Amino acid sequence: MKIFNHEQQHNQFIVTTHSLDLMDEDLRVDQIWFVEKNEFGESELYNLFDFDMPSTTRGDYSYKKRYIAGLFGATQIVNQNRLLQNVFEK
């Protein structure tokens, strides 16, 4: 993750992934963002920095584990019936 946190870095990267393992790599809380659909189907964007985090060192705090437990929202629950309905309507 040095490419994202290099002192001389003056670029901006926007990377999307479904790999939860990256959450526990050497990223700052302001570098981890979530997208969640609201009740109108609109995407809302927020980052990990928005959550109250206990003061702890990164080594003993697993963001991935807490994300899977649903503490940050943006859960990966897929409504299969709605998905199939949308596919067949088009």
Side-chain angles (χ1 to χ4, degrees), residues 34-49:
F34 303 102
V35 177
E36 186 166 38
K37 292 209 181 239
N38 64 20
E39 65 271 12
F40 304 109
E42 303 162 337
S43 296
E44 295 180 353
L45 184 68
Y46 57 94
N47 74 5
L48 193 55
F49 184 77

Side-chain angles (χ1 to χ4, degrees), residues 20-21 23-24 61-69 72:
L20 299 180
D21 294 328
M23 293 180 82
D24 288 333
Y61 194 86
S62 172
Y63 295 128
K64 174 185 172 182
K65 183 169 86 173
R66 284 160 176 79
Y67 171 75
I68 291 171
F72 304 131

Side-chain angles (χ1 to χ4, degrees), residues 20-35:
L20 299 180
D21 294 328
L22 292 176
M23 293 180 82
D24 288 333
E25 291 296 324
D26 190 22
L27 294 172
R28 300 184 317 263
V29 293
D30 64 317
Q31 293 175 312
I32 299 174
W33 288 79
F34 303 102
V35 177

